[in-house]
Amino acid sequence: MSALEDWHVDDDLLAAYAVGDLPADRAWSVEAHLPDCARCRAGATRLVDPARLSRLRADLVAAVDVRHRPGEALLTRVGVPEHTARLLGATPALRLSWLTAVIGLLATAVLAAYAWEGPGAGLVFLAVAPVLPVLGVAAAFGRGVDPTYELTLTAPINGFRLLLLRTTAVLASTVAIAVVGACTLPGPAPTALAWLLPALALTALTLALSSVIAAPVAGAAVCAGWLWLVVSAESRLSTGPGQGGLVLLAVGAALVVYLRRARFDTGPATRTTPDPEATP
């Protein structure tokens, strides 16, 4: 057994934690340790005043709206566990305001396709539809965009699992809306669905880059690159070689995400390594 595995919070530190005298960084370290250590958890339970716990819970409920959002209720009805539904419900890209904006952008792209006569009628839709899940995924992680970012830094939540859950939810909701919009586009069905593979490939690429740089920066870079590609090579994106290249990009990016999955548990580039002196 390593020294780290045999480490426990000492009584003085637990006592300070129990009365709320610890600095925030040390308190978070203690809280990250407690779920995996029955001995320290028992010590904390013995020392913490039950009345103080009740006050803290009341303050937390007052500060955070714990009522189920409509999306959470729908997820629980189809069999998603309540704690998973709560994690997904905190995703910014699954809120009504975001989904309304997605519908508005895609509706605008469809109208542009009808107003734009000729072979490039679906250009706007091809440019817009694939980047919407990218923006949704980029807005699901990272400081300043994820409302639960600070909590996930210290909570005993597998970062890679959370990544997959939120990405799947964002893709499912955005792609479903885009498919409806694509069905109303003028022109043959294969051309109308040429955006689907790019959406998957760009999302996978964003996740791969997010293991190196902040997710919002990765999403912005991917969107800019895609828009440049649409403008410069739009006619070739819906062909066999173009779609094949997107498949290879998606598979390669997914492989990078899998190989670097541990990075999402320790945090992307926006997270910093804890100061050893600040760890109890």
Side-chain angles (χ1 to χ4, degrees), residues 40 42 58 103 107 109 139 148 155 171-172 174 178 205-206 208 222 241 246 251:
C40 294
I103 293 172
T148 61
L171 269 175
T174 307
L205 181 59
T206 300
V222 169
L246 291 167
V251 172

Side-chain angles (χ1 to χ4, degrees), residues 52-258:
R52 179 172 177 267
L53 284 180
S54 298
R55 290 194 303 272
L56 290 174
R57 185 181 186 281
D59 292 342
L60 180 62
V61 171
V64 180
D65 182 10
V66 298
R67 294 172 296 176
H68 283 296
R69 298 181 180 91
E72 293 178 34
L74 178 61
L75 290 171
T76 54
R77 286 175 185 171
V78 298
V80 177
E82 184 176 353
H83 66 282
T84 300
R86 179 56 53 87
L87 286 173
L88 293 176
T91 306
L94 296 180
R95 293 179 180 173
L96 182 60
S97 58
W98 166 264
L99 296 177
T100 302
V102 167
I103 293 172
L105 284 172
L106 290 175
T108 302
V110 171
L111 292 175
Y114 279 97
W116 187 337
E117 298 180 358
L123 180 63
V124 176
F125 195 90
L126 180 62
V128 171
V131 304
L132 292 177
V134 170
L135 295 175
V137 168
F141 308 97
R143 191 187 307 275
V145 292
D146 178 9
T148 61
Y149 175 79
E150 299 296 341
L151 293 177
T152 56
L153 286 179
T154 55
I157 299 172
N158 183 284
F160 187 62
R161 176 175 176 268
L162 180 61
L163 173 87
L164 294 182
L165 282 172
R166 287 187 170 178
T167 299
T168 301
V170 170
L171 269 175
S173 60
T174 307
V175 168
I177 296 172
V179 166
V180 174
C183 291
T184 65
L185 284 173
T191 301
L193 293 178
W195 59 271
L196 187 54
L197 270 176
L200 299 177
L202 297 182
T203 300
L205 181 59
T206 300
L207 294 180
L209 290 176
S210 296
S211 67
V212 181
I213 59 178
V217 177
V222 169
C223 290
W226 173 248
L227 294 178
W228 173 84
L229 189 62
V230 168
V231 172
S232 61
E234 179 269 334
S235 61
R236 296 189 292 274
L237 292 176
S238 58
T239 63
Q243 294 285 292
L246 291 167
V247 170
L248 292 178
L249 176 62
V251 172
L255 181 61
V256 171
V257 172
Y258 177 75

